[in-house]
Each structure stands twice: as C-alpha cells, then as structure tokens.
Amino acid sequence: MLRLHGFAVSNYFNMAKLALLEKGADFEINTVHSSQDAEFLAKSPRGKVPFLETEQGFISETNVILEYIEETQGGKALLPSVPFARATVRALAKEIELYIELPARSCYPEVFFGGKVEQSVKDKAKADLQAGVATLRRHGSFAPYVAGSEMTIADILFLYSIDLAQIVGKKLFGIDLLGDWPEAQALLELLNQNPHVQSIAADKNAEMAAFIAAMAGQRK
C-alpha cells in the first residue's frame, strides 16, 4: 500500500492526495511536517513534504509523485495518451508551478503568518504573478479544464496554486488575478464541486487554525 506523508494544510500535499483519490488508489496518510532531522532526511532529501512511501522506497518532489501515481495506479487517467497532449499538460503544470505558485509563495510570510516581506520581493512577485496568469491564459484551453475536455494533472496544480495566489494578489496588491477571466473562475467552481476536493478542503480547514498559530509562534 502507498503511504503519503505530509499535512492537510500543505497545497503540495493536497495535490498528491487528490491525484490518489481521483485514481482510486489504496493509500494511507501519515501526518508529518517538514524536518531537517537525519531520519526524516533519509526519506525526503530536502526535508520537505509531501513524499510518497512505496514498497521500493520513498519518492519526493510533487511533480514526480504525480507522475508516479499516474504510471502505477489504474482508474481515471490524469495524463492524455497521446504524447504531444501529454507534453502539453506537463508544460501547463510546470508553468503554473513556476510562474504562479512560486511567486505567490514568496509572499506567504506576510499574507498568512504575520511576517514582513521585502518590498523588492513583493514587487517582483506582483509582476511575476501577472505574467504567470497571462502565460496560462495564452496556453491553457479552459474548455472547461485547463488542457481541454478532461481533468488532468494541470488542473490539480491550478486548483492548489491559484487559490493561494488570488489571496496574495488581493491582500498585498489589491488585484484580482482572475477578475476578467470567467473561464478560469468557472473551472475553479467546477473543481470545487468535486467530492474529493471538498473532502480535502474539510481536512485542511480542520487543521488551519492550529497551523497558522504554530507558524506565527515560530516568528516570535
């Protein structure tokens, strides 16, 4: 049986969890937070979550975990069968991570945890987020899913990246990243109707207050 290590507030953990649920995989969850302890680093070389435990060993890095799940589990396909279409989905997923999720993440300390972020970092994040959304608008289909008519890994990245990026955009910059993009708004609504997404959201909400309090405490 697969075992997914991480915690319910982590958007990357939730990406892997949603993939497992959508595939109908048999798996367990071990709730654990990032660590630099030697025992933890033996399982996740950078000390990050999520990581996936298999019969052969441990797999880290969310994009690799998603690919492994797709390759080894039956059920619903999260990548197209045609090579070019598969490459397109992978490119969209990478663009969402690099140009939307990561710029937004640079501002999380101020937006979510009561810290401060240098103005130069915020300025760069704002420009990068706007460019990232523009990139996705050019490349994505949103018909109704990111890459076309079927849900793929790109939608998982979109769901668990754009929500946090929107919060950053509104709170720090006073902008709505999806304000004039009805197709993307409609996709978010569609994805949030998914029972697996709703279950993950409930688990996240149950842990959120304690997680924010713990992170704020670390900054004192």
Side-chain angles (χ1 to χ4, degrees):
M1 179 184 294
L2 299 173
R3 198 174 194 206
L4 182 64
H5 299 256
F7 60 100
V9 177
S10 164
N11 62 331
Y12 281 108
F13 172 83
N14 289 332
M15 291 175 194
K17 184 178 179 181
L18 180 56
L20 288 165
L21 290 170
E22 286 292 297
K23 299 288 283 185
D26 189 14
F27 71 101
E28 297 177 345
I29 289 174
N30 179 41
T31 299
V32 63
H33 292 76
S34 301
S35 172
Q36 294 299 302
D37 292 345
E39 183 179 355
F40 195 98
L41 292 173
K43 302 172 183 177
S44 173
R46 187 61 181 86
K48 296 164 58 178
V49 296
F51 58 93
L52 185 68
E53 184 175 351
T54 76
E55 290 183 356
Q56 293 76 33
F58 298 93
I59 301 172
S60 55
E61 302 303 331
T62 302
N63 63 316
V64 178
I65 292 171
L66 292 174
E67 293 273 353
Y68 177 85
I69 291 168
E70 176 66 13
E71 291 176 358
T72 62
Q73 303 303 304
K76 178 179 181 178
L78 293 173
L79 281 172
S81 59
V82 178
F84 183 83
R86 291 170 75 91
T88 298
V89 169
R90 289 183 173 116
L92 286 163
K94 180 57 67 175
E95 287 162 1
I96 292 166
E97 181 180 15
L98 291 180
Y99 310 139
I100 296 176
E101 203 284 335
L102 290 179
R105 180 170 292 273
S106 69
C107 298
Y108 288 179
E110 183 165 332
V111 172
F112 297 111
F113 307 124
K116 292 296 293 182
V117 174
E118 293 289 337
Q119 188 61 46
S120 60
V121 174
K122 290 190 282 190
D123 291 342
K124 184 176 187 303
K126 180 181 179 181
D128 287 347
L129 282 171
Q130 291 175 311
V133 169
T135 299
L136 186 58
R137 291 185 75 155
R138 285 191 294 269
H139 197 190
S141 298
F142 289 84
Y145 295 100
V146 171
S149 62
E150 301 295 331
M151 179 179 175
T152 67
I153 286 172
D155 297 282
I156 295 177
L157 268 291
F158 174 77
L159 174 64
Y160 292 116
S161 300
I162 201 65
D163 58 341
L164 297 171
Q166 281 186 289
I167 295 172
V168 171
K170 290 176 181 177
K171 186 169 182 178
L172 282 190
F173 312 128
I175 58 175
D176 184 349
L177 294 172
L178 304 184
D180 62 345
W181 193 4
E183 295 84 359
Q185 295 175 28
L187 177 55
L188 273 182
E189 293 177 6
L190 176 63
L191 292 171
N192 281 307
Q193 293 170 11
N194 182 311
H196 292 149
V197 173
Q198 292 176 351
S199 173
I200 289 170
D203 292 341
K204 176 181 176 180
N205 290 338
E207 284 191 17
M208 182 62 77
F211 175 74
I212 290 177
M215 290 296 293
Q218 291 178 12
R219 294 188 168 277
K220 293 181 179 178

